[in-house]
Every structure is written in C-alpha cells, then in structure tokens.
Amino acid sequence: QPQVFDTIIIGAGAAGLMCAGVAAMRGRRVLVLDHAQNVGEKIRISGGGRCNFTNLFAKPENFVSQNPRFCISALNRFTQHDFIKMVQDAGIAYHEREHGQLFCDNSATDIIDMLVKRCTTSGAHLQLHTAITGVEKLDSGFRVETDRGIFAGTSLVIATGGYSIPKIGATGFGHALAKRFGLRVVPTRAGLTPLTFEGELLNRIKDLSGIAVEARIRSNKADFTEALLFTHRGLSGPAILQISSYWNEGDTLRIDLAPGQDAFDVLITAKHATPKQDVATAVATLLPKRLAKLLVDEAGGPGRLCETGDKTLKRVADIINDWRVTPSGSEGYRTAEVTVGGVDTRDLSSKTLETKTVPGLYFIGEVVDVTGELGGFNFQWAWSSGFAAGQYV
Ligand code: FAD
C-alpha cells in the first residue's frame, strides 16, 4: 500500500523547499523527495557560498522566457521584499552589493536552514537519497514509485531544476516528465555561462587571459555594462554571463570596450597633442596595454599617430567602441548557473503553476521556461513560483 500524502514534491532545492513550507503551513500533508544526499545543494554553492538570495530591484524585465509576461503574477504575489522579510524574521545577517544584490553575511547554509526549519516545524516530510523509478497519473492524484517506497499524492509538484552542474545532481527529469505528460518544452541551453572562441580569434585573445575591463555588451535582445574578463578559452565575467542567456549560436556580439568614452575623440586629441606617440600607446590610455596592442593590430597595426590617417584612427576607434565578435559556443552546463528554456509556460497557469492539461500536476522553479539574469533573480523566481504553487496544491 502506498503512503498517502496531499502533496508530493520532487526536488528539495530552492523552489521545492519553499513550496513545501507554504503548503505544509496551510495544513497540507507534504512529502518532499530528492535523489541527492543533502537538500539545497545549489543554494549551498551559490554566490560563492554566500547565496545571492534575491535582488532589491527584481522586476519581470530581469527574466528571459518565450512569454516575458508569464512571471509577473507569481513575482507580484511573493516579492523580493516578502523573501527579505523571511530572512529578517529568521535573524539571518545579510548585506547589499552592487546592483541591489543581497547576500548572506555568513553562509548560504543560513538560507537552507531557514527553509528546512519552515518545512519541519510545519510537518512536511523530507526524504532524501531516494531515486524516483516511476510516476503515474491515477484517477485521483498521482502514484510515485521510488527505491524507498511507493507514495500517493493528490497533487504532484515537479521542482527538479535545470541541467546546470550535473556533478551535484542536476538532471533532465522534469523536462522528460513534462514531455511524457504531453506538455511542450522550450528547447534548453546553458545560461549565465562563459562564451568560448575557436581558431584564429582564440589564438589572438588567448594571451589576454586574466585581463578584466568594464564593457558594454549588446546583442539584438539585451544590453549590459559590467566587467568583462578574458580567459584562455574566450570571454567571461558578469557582462558575458549576462549576455550568454540571450545568446544563440551564430549571434555576433557588439562590445564597447571603453563605455562612455569616444575613442575616436581621444585618438584625434592625442594626435594633436602628442603626434609622435604610437597609436597603441594612445589606445593604452583607455585600455590595458596588451589589449590595446591586440586591437590596434586588428586595425592593421598602424605606427605613430602623426603617420596615421584619420580614417585608420576611426577604424581603431570603431574596434574599441564597437568590437564585433562571434563566439563559437559556451562552456555549457558544466559551469552554467542556469538552464534557459524548459517547460513551456503556455501549458501552465501563471497564477498557480499548475499544468493546464493534467490537473494536480505543477512545475516550479528553474525547470520552467523562466530564467533570471545574474544577480539573485533565479532564486527569486524559485521563491515566487514555489510560493504560488504552495498556496494551491
Ligand atoms: P534546484 O535548486 O537545482 O533544485 C532541484 C532539486 O531537484 C535538487 O535538489 C536535485 O537534487 C533534485 N533533483 C534533480 N533531479 C532529480 C531526480 N531525477 N530525482 C530526484 N531529485 C532530483 N541563483 C541566484 O539567484 N543567486 C545566486 O547566487 C546563484 N548562484 C548560483 C551558483 C551556481 C554555481 C549555480 C549552479 C547556480 C546559481 N544560481 C544562483 C541559480 C540557482 O541556484 C537556481 O536557479 C535555483 O537553485 C533553482 O531552484 P530549483 O529549486 O528550481 O532547482
């Protein structure tokens, strides 16, 4: 005989734990199942161990989805301020960093402990180290078979996250289950991940590995000004991680390596003031020396300013203010912070996160086609969607 619950949640990560606490506080009998040894492994490693748990300025525009409006309802009903209040009530010390990002002062485990405490004090059962071997729809509810027992629940919540970092237990379980129940899944790809180059371009920039500059990066869909880091495989840093979630194979990026400065103006002024100076030296007033040299070489390697025509200087300036590069790929799920794409929001209620075609089946968190930008937005989506479902299951 299966053990019977009102709600079974698969995935004891950010969204699953949030949902479990909310549902159990409503008096629902809740079971959370996870194949991992520990709950909330991604919370634990997030934000360099300090968990960037939300963002003061979170708004729907910070999320990527085929339907950018889908996230509005859940984000409105459980906002960043609601989560901050939970953190404050739990006595967790935190601080604000740039762009409104909030981090724990001590450790990300403070957040895990808070979520687990909310679950256990309200009577939710957490069962870890449990492999799910089968999920079936019954006339009323669901039957979940595992290597540690059979369970039945009136509702079933899938909170198994995305593909990122398979090493700590990420799987495509939720996506596969969605397909099996006839739901559409928006094709997935790695997001918030470094971008890589190949061939000639990689050969040229490899030597710049370690150099960081403030840059403005644009694609046809997004525009970020943040730090950019050259690596031995391509480009990284917050500006690149951000744009990677909007980047599709073949897309060219436009990079302004001296945002807010008109490089042509700087070069013409230098030409008049110090005509004997090398172009590369003049560019090095804007950028690190090695990067300056690479960009000047890309423009044909002109020598002294006085010997260089304005047209060539314009070419150099264009490379500085509008460098165009086409990455060959990304570093993929191995290092990605999120998975872009997922369960198609057309098949879900934006209010409850319940599927439209399978009553009682819910999808929350990263498994859904809602992806946050860098800065605490992905956790906010996990909290908001977990809360929304938790109120209805
Ligand atoms: P998860 O938290 O990934 O939880 C999914 C759970 O499901 C896991 O416990 C997993 O073990 C379980 N599971 C998976 N497959 C199965 C299966 N087949 N059977 C049983 N259980 C299964 N976001 C931020 O907002 N701020 C940050 O600072 C931040 N830092 C990050 C740093 C790193 C290195 C990474 C990888 C991500 C970071 N993120 C951050 C993103 C954030 O961690 C995720 O978006 C968030 O955890 C998603 O929550 P979730 O509950 O949907 O999924």
mmCIF file of all heavy atoms in Angstrom, residues 11-48:
data_model
loop_
_atom_site.group_PDB
_atom_site.id
_atom_site.type_symbol
_atom_site.label_atom_id
_atom_site.label_comp_id
_atom_site.label_asym_id
_atom_site.label_seq_id
_atom_site.Cartn_x
_atom_site.Cartn_y
_atom_site.Cartn_z
ATOM 1 N N GLY A 11 12.117 17.136 -5.702
ATOM 2 C CA GLY A 11 13.166 18.161 -5.765
ATOM 3 C C GLY A 11 13.176 19.010 -4.497
ATOM 4 O O GLY A 11 12.270 19.801 -4.262
ATOM 5 N N ALA A 12 14.210 18.781 -3.682
ATOM 6 C CA ALA A 12 14.336 19.551 -2.432
ATOM 7 C C ALA A 12 15.371 20.651 -2.626
ATOM 8 O O ALA A 12 16.333 20.776 -1.871
ATOM 9 C CB ALA A 12 14.733 18.633 -1.283
ATOM 10 N N GLY A 13 15.161 21.440 -3.676
ATOM 11 C CA GLY A 13 16.024 22.602 -3.915
ATOM 12 C C GLY A 13 15.296 23.852 -3.464
ATOM 13 O O GLY A 13 14.382 23.792 -2.628
ATOM 14 N N ALA A 14 15.669 24.978 -4.044
ATOM 15 C CA ALA A 14 15.118 26.269 -3.626
ATOM 16 C C ALA A 14 13.593 26.308 -3.769
ATOM 17 O O ALA A 14 12.866 26.601 -2.800
ATOM 18 C CB ALA A 14 15.770 27.376 -4.455
ATOM 19 N N ALA A 15 13.097 25.974 -4.948
ATOM 20 C CA ALA A 15 11.658 26.082 -5.199
ATOM 21 C C ALA A 15 10.878 25.017 -4.422
ATOM 22 O O ALA A 15 9.830 25.313 -3.832
ATOM 23 C CB ALA A 15 11.383 25.947 -6.702
ATOM 24 N N GLY A 16 11.392 23.789 -4.407
ATOM 25 C CA GLY A 16 10.696 22.692 -3.737
ATOM 26 C C GLY A 16 10.560 22.932 -2.242
ATOM 27 O O GLY A 16 9.482 22.723 -1.654
ATOM 28 N N LEU A 17 11.627 23.387 -1.605
ATOM 29 C CA LEU A 17 11.583 23.636 -0.161
ATOM 30 C C LEU A 17 10.634 24.785 0.163
ATOM 31 O O LEU A 17 9.892 24.740 1.145
ATOM 32 C CB LEU A 17 12.990 23.956 0.380
ATOM 33 C CG LEU A 17 13.991 22.793 0.373
ATOM 34 C CD1 LEU A 17 15.374 23.285 0.804
ATOM 35 C CD2 LEU A 17 13.526 21.657 1.286
ATOM 36 N N MET A 18 10.671 25.816 -0.675
ATOM 37 C CA MET A 18 9.775 26.959 -0.457
ATOM 38 C C MET A 18 8.320 26.497 -0.542
ATOM 39 O O MET A 18 7.496 26.800 0.336
ATOM 40 C CB MET A 18 10.044 28.017 -1.534
ATOM 41 C CG MET A 18 9.212 29.256 -1.387
ATOM 42 S SD MET A 18 9.836 30.205 0.007
ATOM 43 C CE MET A 18 8.556 31.417 0.135
ATOM 44 N N CYS A 19 8.024 25.744 -1.590
ATOM 45 C CA CYS A 19 6.661 25.267 -1.828
ATOM 46 C C CYS A 19 6.205 24.362 -0.670
ATOM 47 O O CYS A 19 5.075 24.484 -0.181
ATOM 48 C CB CYS A 19 6.630 24.499 -3.151
ATOM 49 S SG CYS A 19 5.012 23.889 -3.604
ATOM 50 N N ALA A 20 7.109 23.492 -0.217
ATOM 51 C CA ALA A 20 6.765 22.547 0.860
ATOM 52 C C ALA A 20 6.376 23.297 2.123
ATOM 53 O O ALA A 20 5.375 22.971 2.771
ATOM 54 C CB ALA A 20 7.951 21.622 1.126
ATOM 55 N N GLY A 21 7.160 24.314 2.484
ATOM 56 C CA GLY A 21 6.883 25.086 3.695
ATOM 57 C C GLY A 21 5.521 25.767 3.612
ATOM 58 O O GLY A 21 4.715 25.699 4.546
ATOM 59 N N VAL A 22 5.251 26.384 2.471
ATOM 60 C CA VAL A 22 3.998 27.125 2.297
ATOM 61 C C VAL A 22 2.805 26.161 2.353
ATOM 62 O O VAL A 22 1.802 26.415 3.038
ATOM 63 C CB VAL A 22 4.003 27.911 0.961
ATOM 64 C CG1 VAL A 22 2.645 28.540 0.681
ATOM 65 C CG2 VAL A 22 5.083 28.983 0.981
ATOM 66 N N ALA A 23 2.933 25.028 1.648
ATOM 67 C CA ALA A 23 1.816 24.067 1.617
ATOM 68 C C ALA A 23 1.591 23.448 2.996
ATOM 69 O O ALA A 23 0.444 23.304 3.440
ATOM 70 C CB ALA A 23 2.101 22.985 0.571
ATOM 71 N N ALA A 24 2.674 23.093 3.669
ATOM 72 C CA ALA A 24 2.536 22.457 4.991
ATOM 73 C C ALA A 24 1.936 23.436 5.998
ATOM 74 O O ALA A 24 1.145 23.044 6.854
ATOM 75 C CB ALA A 24 3.895 21.947 5.465
ATOM 76 N N MET A 25 2.286 24.711 5.878
ATOM 77 C CA MET A 25 1.710 25.716 6.792
ATOM 78 C C MET A 25 0.208 25.876 6.569
ATOM 79 O O MET A 25 -0.509 26.318 7.450
ATOM 80 C CB MET A 25 2.411 27.064 6.616
ATOM 81 C CG MET A 25 3.750 27.099 7.332
ATOM 82 S SD MET A 25 4.594 28.638 6.989
ATOM 83 C CE MET A 25 6.238 28.185 7.495
ATOM 84 N N ARG A 26 -0.248 25.496 5.373
ATOM 85 C CA ARG A 26 -1.696 25.519 5.111
ATOM 86 C C ARG A 26 -2.368 24.255 5.617
ATOM 87 O O ARG A 26 -3.570 24.062 5.416
ATOM 88 C CB ARG A 26 -1.945 25.611 3.600
ATOM 89 C CG ARG A 26 -1.687 26.965 2.980
ATOM 90 C CD ARG A 26 -1.830 26.901 1.458
ATOM 91 N NE ARG A 26 -3.018 26.189 1.028
ATOM 92 C CZ ARG A 26 -3.036 25.204 0.125
ATOM 93 N NH1 ARG A 26 -1.914 24.816 -0.450
ATOM 94 N NH2 ARG A 26 -4.163 24.617 -0.205
ATOM 95 N N GLY A 27 -1.559 23.372 6.208
ATOM 96 C CA GLY A 27 -2.141 22.149 6.762
ATOM 97 C C GLY A 27 -2.120 20.965 5.808
ATOM 98 O O GLY A 27 -2.683 19.917 6.101
ATOM 99 N N ARG A 28 -1.458 21.129 4.659
ATOM 100 C CA ARG A 28 -1.387 20.003 3.718
ATOM 101 C C ARG A 28 -0.367 18.990 4.233
ATOM 102 O O ARG A 28 0.645 19.363 4.841
ATOM 103 C CB ARG A 28 -0.937 20.468 2.315
ATOM 104 C CG ARG A 28 -1.670 21.662 1.781
ATOM 105 C CD ARG A 28 -3.143 21.417 1.630
ATOM 106 N NE ARG A 28 -3.449 20.610 0.448
ATOM 107 C CZ ARG A 28 -4.619 20.010 0.246
ATOM 108 N NH1 ARG A 28 -5.571 20.095 1.158
ATOM 109 N NH2 ARG A 28 -4.838 19.333 -0.858
ATOM 110 N N ARG A 29 -0.632 17.705 3.993
ATOM 111 C CA ARG A 29 0.367 16.673 4.324
ATOM 112 C C ARG A 29 1.332 16.603 3.138
ATOM 113 O O ARG A 29 0.921 16.240 2.028
ATOM 114 C CB ARG A 29 -0.320 15.318 4.530
ATOM 115 C CG ARG A 29 -1.133 15.241 5.834
ATOM 116 C CD ARG A 29 -1.979 13.999 5.820
ATOM 117 N NE ARG A 29 -2.875 13.998 4.665
ATOM 118 C CZ ARG A 29 -3.498 12.927 4.179
ATOM 119 N NH1 ARG A 29 -3.308 11.754 4.719
ATOM 120 N NH2 ARG A 29 -4.302 13.024 3.136
ATOM 121 N N VAL A 30 2.578 17.010 3.396
ATOM 122 C CA VAL A 30 3.538 17.201 2.295
ATOM 123 C C VAL A 30 4.717 16.236 2.412
ATOM 124 O O VAL A 30 5.275 16.054 3.500
ATOM 125 C CB VAL A 30 4.084 18.655 2.304
ATOM 126 C CG1 VAL A 30 5.128 18.852 1.216
ATOM 127 C CG2 VAL A 30 2.946 19.661 2.147
ATOM 128 N N LEU A 31 5.079 15.647 1.278
ATOM 129 C CA LEU A 31 6.295 14.833 1.209
ATOM 130 C C LEU A 31 7.213 15.428 0.149
ATOM 131 O O LEU A 31 6.777 15.694 -0.972
ATOM 132 C CB LEU A 31 5.949 13.387 0.808
ATOM 133 C CG LEU A 31 7.154 12.488 0.491
ATOM 134 C CD1 LEU A 31 7.965 12.188 1.755
ATOM 135 C CD2 LEU A 31 6.705 11.182 -0.170
ATOM 136 N N VAL A 32 8.476 15.652 0.502
ATOM 137 C CA VAL A 32 9.460 16.123 -0.480
ATOM 138 C C VAL A 32 10.456 14.998 -0.723
ATOM 139 O O VAL A 32 11.042 14.472 0.229
ATOM 140 C CB VAL A 32 10.221 17.374 0.023
ATOM 141 C CG1 VAL A 32 11.081 17.947 -1.096
ATOM 142 C CG2 VAL A 32 9.274 18.425 0.563
ATOM 143 N N LEU A 33 10.637 14.636 -1.985
ATOM 144 C CA LEU A 33 11.581 13.567 -2.347
ATOM 145 C C LEU A 33 12.754 14.153 -3.135
ATOM 146 O O LEU A 33 12.564 15.051 -3.968
ATOM 147 C CB LEU A 33 10.879 12.525 -3.230
ATOM 148 C CG LEU A 33 9.704 11.769 -2.603
ATOM 149 C CD1 LEU A 33 8.969 10.963 -3.682
ATOM 150 C CD2 LEU A 33 10.197 10.847 -1.486
ATOM 151 N N ASP A 34 13.938 13.648 -2.885
ATOM 152 C CA ASP A 34 15.099 14.103 -3.671
ATOM 153 C C ASP A 34 16.111 12.959 -3.742
ATOM 154 O O ASP A 34 16.261 12.203 -2.781
ATOM 155 C CB ASP A 34 15.750 15.323 -3.005
ATOM 156 C CG ASP A 34 16.594 16.123 -3.978
ATOM 157 O OD1 ASP A 34 17.597 15.564 -4.513
ATOM 158 O OD2 ASP A 34 16.284 17.293 -4.205
ATOM 159 N N HIS A 35 16.788 12.854 -4.865
ATOM 160 C CA HIS A 35 17.770 11.766 -5.001
ATOM 161 C C HIS A 35 19.118 12.122 -4.369
ATOM 162 O O HIS A 35 19.956 11.272 -4.162
ATOM 163 C CB HIS A 35 17.933 11.341 -6.469
ATOM 164 C CG HIS A 35 18.534 12.386 -7.346
ATOM 165 N ND1 HIS A 35 18.980 12.113 -8.617
ATOM 166 C CD2 HIS A 35 18.766 13.706 -7.148
ATOM 167 C CE1 HIS A 35 19.452 13.221 -9.163
ATOM 168 N NE2 HIS A 35 19.323 14.190 -8.295
ATOM 169 N N ALA A 36 19.299 13.394 -4.057
ATOM 170 C CA ALA A 36 20.587 13.820 -3.501
ATOM 171 C C ALA A 36 20.702 13.455 -2.017
ATOM 172 O O ALA A 36 19.717 13.138 -1.364
ATOM 173 C CB ALA A 36 20.741 15.325 -3.674
ATOM 174 N N GLN A 37 21.923 13.502 -1.520
ATOM 175 C CA GLN A 37 22.170 13.189 -0.087
ATOM 176 C C GLN A 37 21.735 14.350 0.795
ATOM 177 O O GLN A 37 21.399 14.168 1.958
ATOM 178 C CB GLN A 37 23.680 12.989 0.150
ATOM 179 C CG GLN A 37 24.317 11.936 -0.713
ATOM 180 C CD GLN A 37 24.303 10.584 -0.018
ATOM 181 O OE1 GLN A 37 23.591 10.403 0.970
ATOM 182 N NE2 GLN A 37 25.066 9.640 -0.543
ATOM 183 N N ASN A 38 21.805 15.574 0.238
ATOM 184 C CA ASN A 38 21.510 16.776 1.029
ATOM 185 C C ASN A 38 20.498 17.641 0.307
ATOM 186 O O ASN A 38 20.437 17.623 -0.923
ATOM 187 C CB ASN A 38 22.789 17.606 1.236
ATOM 188 C CG ASN A 38 23.869 16.822 1.929
ATOM 189 O OD1 ASN A 38 23.675 16.348 3.047
ATOM 190 N ND2 ASN A 38 24.996 16.644 1.265
ATOM 191 N N VAL A 39 19.749 18.425 1.067
ATOM 192 C CA VAL A 39 18.823 19.365 0.431
ATOM 193 C C VAL A 39 19.602 20.579 -0.072
ATOM 194 O O VAL A 39 20.701 20.864 0.412
ATOM 195 C CB VAL A 39 17.728 19.868 1.417
ATOM 196 C CG1 VAL A 39 16.903 18.724 1.940
ATOM 197 C CG2 VAL A 39 18.337 20.667 2.554
ATOM 198 N N GLY A 40 19.030 21.267 -1.049
ATOM 199 C CA GLY A 40 19.511 22.581 -1.469
ATOM 200 C C GLY A 40 20.996 22.700 -1.799
ATOM 201 O O GLY A 40 21.639 23.683 -1.448
ATOM 202 N N GLU A 41 21.514 21.700 -2.531
ATOM 203 C CA GLU A 41 22.952 21.755 -2.852
ATOM 204 C C GLU A 41 23.327 23.011 -3.653
ATOM 205 O O GLU A 41 24.397 23.571 -3.480
ATOM 206 C CB GLU A 41 23.345 20.512 -3.653
ATOM 207 C CG GLU A 41 23.649 19.312 -2.789
ATOM 208 C CD GLU A 41 24.850 19.507 -1.882
ATOM 209 O OE1 GLU A 41 24.657 20.044 -0.766
ATOM 210 O OE2 GLU A 41 25.968 19.173 -2.288
ATOM 211 N N LYS A 42 22.411 23.444 -4.522
ATOM 212 C CA LYS A 42 22.749 24.630 -5.337
ATOM 213 C C LYS A 42 22.717 25.890 -4.505
ATOM 214 O O LYS A 42 23.453 26.834 -4.771
ATOM 215 C CB LYS A 42 21.804 24.750 -6.518
ATOM 216 C CG LYS A 42 22.422 24.142 -7.743
ATOM 217 C CD LYS A 42 21.706 24.488 -8.998
ATOM 218 C CE LYS A 42 22.128 23.480 -10.048
ATOM 219 N NZ LYS A 42 21.209 23.453 -11.167
ATOM 220 N N ILE A 43 21.844 25.905 -3.510
ATOM 221 C CA ILE A 43 21.836 27.073 -2.615
ATOM 222 C C ILE A 43 23.192 27.133 -1.910
ATOM 223 O O ILE A 43 23.800 28.194 -1.778
ATOM 224 C CB ILE A 43 20.700 26.980 -1.570
ATOM 225 C CG1 ILE A 43 19.346 26.798 -2.259
ATOM 226 C CG2 ILE A 43 20.703 28.201 -0.655
ATOM 227 C CD1 ILE A 43 18.171 26.610 -1.298
ATOM 228 N N ARG A 44 23.658 25.955 -1.477
ATOM 229 C CA ARG A 44 24.898 25.892 -0.703
ATOM 230 C C ARG A 44 26.091 26.449 -1.494
ATOM 231 O O ARG A 44 26.913 27.190 -0.947
ATOM 232 C CB ARG A 44 25.176 24.437 -0.292
ATOM 233 C CG ARG A 44 26.284 24.292 0.744
ATOM 234 C CD ARG A 44 26.441 22.832 1.156
ATOM 235 N NE ARG A 44 26.697 21.957 0.016
ATOM 236 C CZ ARG A 44 27.862 21.859 -0.610
ATOM 237 N NH1 ARG A 44 28.888 22.575 -0.206
ATOM 238 N NH2 ARG A 44 27.998 21.061 -1.634
ATOM 239 N N ILE A 45 26.164 26.134 -2.800
ATOM 240 C CA ILE A 45 27.337 26.593 -3.565
ATOM 241 C C ILE A 45 27.105 27.956 -4.211
ATOM 242 O O ILE A 45 27.988 28.501 -4.852
ATOM 243 C CB ILE A 45 27.748 25.579 -4.658
ATOM 244 C CG1 ILE A 45 26.617 25.401 -5.692
ATOM 245 C CG2 ILE A 45 28.136 24.256 -4.054
ATOM 246 C CD1 ILE A 45 27.087 24.714 -6.966
ATOM 247 N N SER A 46 25.896 28.507 -4.036
ATOM 248 C CA SER A 46 25.574 29.732 -4.781
ATOM 249 C C SER A 46 26.274 30.959 -4.208
ATOM 250 O O SER A 46 26.650 30.972 -3.026
ATOM 251 C CB SER A 46 24.062 29.973 -4.740
ATOM 252 O OG SER A 46 23.670 30.306 -3.432
ATOM 253 N N GLY A 47 26.425 31.942 -5.070
ATOM 254 C CA GLY A 47 27.001 33.221 -4.645
ATOM 255 C C GLY A 47 28.331 33.047 -3.922
ATOM 256 O O GLY A 47 28.573 33.719 -2.921
ATOM 257 N N GLY A 48 29.165 32.126 -4.424
ATOM 258 C CA GLY A 48 30.456 31.895 -3.788
ATOM 259 C C GLY A 48 30.306 31.453 -2.332
ATOM 260 O O GLY A 48 31.144 31.755 -1.486
#
